[in-house]
Amino acid sequence: MQLYNTLSAEERAIMIDDAGKQRLTLSFYAYAKIQDPKKFRDDLFVAWNKLDALGRIYVANEGINAQMSIPEENLEAFRETLEVYDFMKGIRLNEAVEHDDHSFLKLTIKVRDKIVADGLNDETFDVTDIGVHLKAAAFNEILDDPNTIVVDFRNHYESEVGHFKGAITPDVETFRESLPIINDQLQNHKEDKNLVMYCTGGIRCEKASAYFKHQGFKNVFQLEGGIINYAKQIEAEGLESKFIGKNFVFDNRLGERITDDIISQCHQCGKPCDNHTNCENDGCHLLFIQCDDCKAAMENCCSTECLEVIHLPLVDQVRLRTGKQVGNKVFRKGKSENLKFKHSGELSNNSLATANPNISEQEKQKQADIRQKIKVKKVLLGKAEHYYVKAKVGLFTIENQELNAGDKILISGPTTGNQELILEKMIVNDAEATTAKIGDKVTFEIPFRIRLSDKLYKIVN
């Protein structure tokens, strides 16, 4: 029984392209008592893997938090897998404003202590005593009330590219940081103000609203379904959007446009821009805003130092980052002094530029970061078995298709990186040969060290 991914992100992306089927990006959450999160996790993986569902899901004793991509044709079958559980019957699925077939490229379901890291002791207050849920129309109305204080419970890199007008946008890197900051800041307004909160999909506000009611706030409200659901409702009902800019999302898209307003700047040159990227240097991967001109000039790097690093030989790059903690590579949240135009905390409601609303879907895909990462089409051939350091020879087992002398190959791994070379000659089962088949042991010279976690691919384009 398969309980984990067996394909790389690149292989999955190729399969998605070849299938040519429309995929939906969606999210949902539910607080519930789950007695055995590990079994719950495994059961979900088996059911969802059959439906070609992908995504990042956290489960815990307190419930589930999911962001996913599924084939549109499997939507009803996917709903049926949720209906098996009483606490997910009729659950709201927040569909993305902008779908992307490559929003997720793996199915990752992790068991955690909590589905959102909030730093709260749930035993000290009633987590079910939440604020009043508001739909888009009611949310717009309460924002116009002079007695309303609206708070963004997202992080600095999220609010910088888009937020509700007039919102308090805490300069924080984690949700847990914002709770005591807002509590202290609003101590004198517990009874005379409407405390209105929002986040991406609503899950952070579920816990935050209960916490603030416990802290003595009398009038607590939250945006139902978060920004994602709000965007759907204002479009369907023809309402004014009081959210301005782009909604940051935690998948390969890194954002979905709500209004055409660009309210942030390229962190390197200051040009109006709201496109996030991750530094190309594997030892950095800083998340920052970068315009197309800087992306070309800096080769996706956040600084000249990182630009110099990516042009070093791989062995030197590995040496430089050995022992360094880079954390979650995709969404590293740290700030950098190199980012001269980074803004956090109190943010402007003014639009700096207007995005092109007529951009084609094809062009959107070209601009997506994931497209920059998938540079070659390749087929997995096998895995590394050993590296003979003195002879500089690698040993591989062929598990899929044939390998031929003259093939262009790619050796890939978390430490090795992605290394391409032309296979000039090889030893197959202790004898020189020009073809290796499934089950064969193959050795050939490699000018760099490989690891047992490395995979061997044939480049097919």
Side-chain angles (χ1 to χ4, degrees), residues 231-299:
K232 291 283 188 179
Q233 289 182 16
I234 61 171
E235 181 180 5
E237 299 174 26
L239 302 173
E240 172 194 1
S241 176
K242 292 185 179 293
F243 184 95
I244 182 172
K246 182 183 280 189
N247 179 33
F248 184 93
V249 292
F250 292 86
D251 58 55
N252 291 320
R253 296 171 299 153
L254 294 179
E256 53 185 14
R257 186 158 299 288
I258 307 300
T259 71
D260 294 331
D261 303 282
I262 297 175
I263 64 172
S264 52
Q265 298 173 276
C266 171
H267 287 162
Q268 293 174 317
C269 73
K271 181 187 300 182
C273 178
D274 55 11
N275 294 325
H276 279 96
T277 190
N278 288 101
C279 182
E280 191 72 13
N281 175 14
D282 284 336
C284 178
H285 275 289
L286 182 72
L287 180 70
F288 68 107
I289 297 174
Q290 188 178 48
C291 70
D292 290 343
D293 291 339
C294 288
K295 187 183 293 289
M298 297 296 293
E299 299 179 42

Side-chain angles (χ1 to χ4, degrees), residues 16-172:
I16 289 172
D17 286 342
D18 290 345
K21 296 179 180 179
Q22 174 69 46
R23 298 183 68 90
L24 301 176
T25 302
L26 52 85
S27 62
F28 62 93
Y29 67 89
Y31 279 100
K33 295 293 183 182
I34 298 176
Q35 297 300 322
D36 189 345
K38 176 61 168 60
K39 182 180 184 304
F40 179 60
R41 177 258 174 222
D42 291 348
D43 290 344
L44 290 180
F45 192 97
V46 171
W48 291 349
N49 192 50
K50 293 177 181 177
L51 299 176
D52 192 23
L54 307 172
R56 184 185 301 109
I57 301 94
Y58 299 133
V59 299
N61 287 115
E62 67 174 2
I64 182 171
N65 181 16
Q67 294 85 40
M68 303 188 68
S69 165
I70 62 172
E72 185 176 29
E73 64 183 18
N74 291 345
L75 179 59
E76 290 309 312
F78 177 76
R79 286 186 186 275
E80 290 176 5
T81 68
L82 304 181
E83 296 287 330
V84 171
Y85 304 93
D86 289 340
F87 71 90
M88 288 197 287
K89 287 184 177 179
I91 194 170
R92 181 187 61 244
L93 302 180
N94 282 335
E95 289 194 18
V97 177
E98 298 175 348
H99 294 290
D100 186 321
D101 290 346
H102 289 193
S103 58
F104 290 99
L105 295 174
K106 289 187 176 182
L107 177 58
T108 304
I109 310 178
K110 295 184 178 181
V111 176
R112 292 284 180 88
D113 292 332
K114 288 193 171 188
I115 55 177
V116 176
D118 51 38
L120 298 175
N121 182 355
D122 294 354
E123 302 300 321
T124 62
F125 66 101
D126 184 358
V127 296
T128 66
D129 184 20
I130 60 177
V132 177
H133 283 231
L134 298 176
K135 296 186 182 298
F139 193 81
N140 277 2
E141 184 177 345
I142 202 169
L143 291 188
D144 291 333
D145 187 333
N147 288 321
T148 289
I149 297 175
V150 59
V151 180
D152 189 327
F153 275 100
R154 300 173 304 150
N155 306 323
H156 64 84
Y157 54 92
E158 299 174 81
S159 57
E160 185 177 10
V161 295
H163 54 262
F164 278 95
K165 298 174 183 178
I168 295 174
T169 52
D171 185 11
V172 297

Side-chain angles (χ1 to χ4, degrees), residues 401-416:
Q401 296 197 10
E402 291 185 354
L403 174 64
N404 297 289
D407 282 344
K408 188 174 183 179
I409 60 175
L410 171 72
I411 299 173
S412 179
T415 303
T416 304

Side-chain angles (χ1 to χ4, degrees), residues 433-446:
T434 57
T435 300
K437 299 182 178 180
I438 295 175
D440 287 344
K441 300 288 186 180
V442 179
T443 55
F444 50 87
E445 289 187 9
I446 304 173

Side-chain angles (χ1 to χ4, degrees), residues 425-439:
K425 63 178 182 179
M426 59 182 171
I427 303 298
V428 180
N429 300 329
D430 298 325
E432 186 170 345
T434 57
T435 300
K437 299 182 178 180
I438 295 175

